[in-house]
Amino acid sequence: MSQQNLEPLDVERLREDFPILEREFDGQPLVYLDNAATTQTADPVVDAMSDYYRRYNANVHRGIHHLSQEASIAYEEAHDRVADFIGAGGREEVVFTKNTTEAENLVAHSWGLEELGPGDEIVLTEMEHHASLVTWQQIGKRTGADVKYIRIDENGRLDMDHARELVTDDTAMLSAVHVSNTLGTVNPVSELVDLAHDHDALAFIDGAQAVPNRPVDVEAIDADFYAFSGHKMAGPTGIGVLYGKEELLEEMQPYLYGGDMITKVTFEDSTWNELPWKFEAGTPQIAEAIGLVAAIDYLEGIGMERIEAHERELARYAYEQLSAHSDVEIYGPEPGPDRGGLVGFNLEGVHAHDLASIMNDYAVAIRAGDHCTQPLHDKLGVAASARASFYIYNTREEIDALVDAIDSARQLFA
Ligand code: C6P
């Protein structure tokens, strides 16, 4: 279905599922535009987690009593639900982690330390989040592998000619962000994955800003690894997902050792449990996994295509409103299919932190700083930027409130 034919979201109705949005500060309604940092948690998610704690709280895979059986089933089936949501082959390919960052680290340590060495190359993009950039940079240092960066052009898009130059038969891993948390750029991930595969390299896609707001099919993308976080999709903190192709996860060594990830242990040696438990040592995030399932049910109930269209429309509106002012510099591509639901910008003569602080006086919550993309900010020639990021419950009126608050900042600093 084309995006034009999609039924718009009933935002007023959805907002009822997020009571936090009713909060006021100094008599002004909260305008929450910091969704790329974390989204608010939907009531059905809170209810599902509370139901677990109230009715069947127990450790998983450890007890034969009723509660442990119920908790174990819910926890295991959460993997099936996630697999279904992202188009993975099955629960074997879905590892629960703490967040996207831990998923990156899992692969970098488990696969990278084992497989990389001098002469190998890791290709990243200039718009990587530190979760990917710092991780692969440090693994490069430890293994002797070189790290190279695909350039961005003046519009904040990847220079794909440069990508084709950089990815060679020496490339062992290409790690790229699906949607940039700073520029809003939606990268051509299938093309990047194909490029990596043409050179027998693996591809890791960081989907932290993609899975919450658009349909994602990891098998269609053909990513070898794909990661995202529950807290950016109306779900709980403390849970993230690493998708990995089964044959790769099978070959990899565990990242964490301990209980539940073993089959047999002697004083001399140990053998590993089957996937995905091999990568889930210790008591896992049981309530969070249950909450993540509730978040997925909630988002799919709305429809991922509709969510994508809603965010794109808000981003377009915000872009238009902000770009009407010549003293506002906006980063990233113009509105269109390759811009996600966030707008990063700076107001001339006002530090982004001051701007966010003035916004806060009007109860408008935005993020200011380097957004964990310091090298990208260096490239943009700024120390920091302000960022408004949208989700299912945001409205055009809230963007108007943002623009009004920017006006006030402008007057204050004039
Ligand atoms: N970006 C932001 O305000 P964690 O913290 O592990 O759940 O997610 C890390 C991460 C990885 N990749 C991308 C593209 C991200 O945007 C993030 C988180 C937040 O932009 C916090 S810095």
Side-chain angles (χ1 to χ4, degrees):
M1 199 189 297
S2 89
Q3 293 223 336
Q4 286 89 326
N5 297 332
L6 293 168
E7 198 191 326
L9 301 192
D10 184 352
V11 174
E12 286 317 308
R13 163 60 211 96
L14 291 177
R15 287 178 76 91
E16 290 170 13
D17 296 328
F18 298 86
I20 199 169
L21 299 174
E22 289 163 20
R23 288 202 63 186
E24 295 191 348
F25 296 90
D26 298 326
Q28 305 167 105
L30 167 67
V31 175
Y32 187 77
L33 301 178
D34 196 15
N35 294 287
T38 199
T39 55
Q40 296 306 334
T41 317
D43 263 357
V45 173
V46 179
D47 291 346
M49 294 173 75
S50 149
D51 187 51
Y52 159 74
Y53 280 123
R54 287 171 189 276
R55 294 187 45 251
Y56 58 106
N57 178 27
N59 212 327
V60 294
H61 300 156
R62 285 162 174 81
I64 49 169
H65 55 78
H66 288 303
L67 293 184
S68 179
Q69 282 176 25
E70 284 181 22
S72 298
I73 289 170
Y75 180 71
E76 289 177 8
E77 288 183 353
H79 294 73
D80 302 332
R81 184 70 182 98
V82 170
D84 179 56
F85 179 57
I86 59 168
R91 67 168 64 167
E92 304 73 27
E93 299 192 318
V94 172
V95 176
F96 287 156
T97 59
K98 192 168 60 171
N99 47 33
T100 305
T101 307
E102 193 180 67
E104 297 264 11
N105 274 273
L106 191 162
V107 174
H109 285 82
S110 207
W111 176 87
L113 287 183
E114 209 61 43
E115 301 292 333
L116 295 172
D120 287 327
E121 291 179 356
I122 304 164
V123 175
L124 308 176
T125 77
E126 287 182 337
M127 62 174 94
E128 288 315 291
H129 186 277
H130 294 168
S132 144
L133 195 151
V134 178
T135 304
W136 290 111
Q137 177 192 71
Q138 294 305 311
I139 293 296
K141 285 186 193 297
R142 283 170 68 174
T143 58
D146 279 337
V147 181
K148 305 208 156 166
Y149 296 92
I150 304 170
R151 273 195 304 261
I152 56 164
D153 66 18
E154 62 285 3
N155 300 310
R157 294 190 175 91
L158 284 183
D159 177 344
M160 289 304 288
D161 287 335
H162 190 229
R164 281 182 280 275
E165 264 170 51
L166 277 196
V167 179
T168 67
D169 290 347
D170 290 332
T171 308
M173 171 60 78
L174 183 152
S175 183
V177 67
H178 193 158
V179 177
S180 161
N181 68 323
T182 301
L183 302 169
T185 317
V186 182
N187 285 320
V189 282
S190 297
E191 214 180 311
L192 288 166
V193 171
D194 288 350
L195 186 58
H197 289 171
D198 286 348
H199 294 276
D200 291 330
L202 297 183
F204 188 121
I205 304 297
D206 167 354
Q209 301 292 353
V211 170
N213 49 45
R214 61 198 54 242
V216 168
D217 183 332
V218 291
E219 282 190 357
I221 296 170
D222 200 20
D224 298 293
F225 302 102
Y226 194 102
F228 59 99
S229 300
H231 69 95
K232 295 186 197 290
M233 48 188 288
T237 53
I239 188 159
V241 172
L242 170 68
Y243 158 81
K245 285 185 178 164
E246 187 177 352
E247 63 273 21
L248 291 169
L249 293 177
E250 261 327 332
E251 283 167 20
M252 282 159 51
Q253 287 300 305
Y255 175 47
L256 296 173
Y257 298 107
D260 214 29
M261 49 74 66
I262 47 79
T263 318
K264 177 142 181 61
V265 180
T266 65
F267 283 123
E268 289 72 36
D269 208 357
S270 307
T271 55
W272 313 138
N273 202 345
E274 59 193 27
L275 291 173
W277 325 123
K278 175 173 113 178
F279 290 105
E280 296 185 358
T283 301
Q285 311 87 316
I286 307 163
E288 289 77 7
I290 289 163
L292 181 61
V293 168
I296 291 172
D297 289 346
Y298 184 78
L299 296 180
E300 282 202 328
I302 299 168
M304 297 310 295
E305 287 88 358
R306 290 174 71 210
I307 294 173
E308 182 184 5
H310 176 75
E311 285 208 14
R312 189 177 294 169
E313 173 51 23
L314 287 180
R316 189 193 59 74
Y317 183 69
Y319 191 99
E320 274 172 17
Q321 298 304 307
L322 293 174
S323 59
H325 301 273
S326 58
D327 58 355
V328 176
E329 185 177 8
I330 304 181
Y331 306 107
E334 290 186 351
D338 66 353
R339 175 178 263 284
L342 62 91
V343 181
F345 61 96
N346 265 308
L347 176 63
E348 203 180 293
V350 184
H351 192 283
H353 283 139
D354 294 333
L355 188 60
S357 169
I358 294 165
M359 299 267 172
N360 190 46
D361 292 341
Y362 294 90
V364 177
I366 61 163
R367 186 167 174 196
D370 60 42
H371 316 308
C372 299
T373 55
Q374 278 182 23
L376 174 60
H377 277 77
D378 289 345
K379 167 106 186 186
L380 296 172
V382 290
S385 59
R387 184 189 66 190
S389 52
F390 314 114
Y391 208 43
I392 49 178
Y393 34 69
N394 289 125
T395 63
R396 276 177 169 232
E397 290 70 32
E398 290 183 310
I399 292 170
D400 293 339
L402 167 84
V403 174
D404 288 349
I406 295 175
D407 272 344
S408 307
R410 186 180 282 117
Q411 281 160 27
L412 206 67
F413 280 85

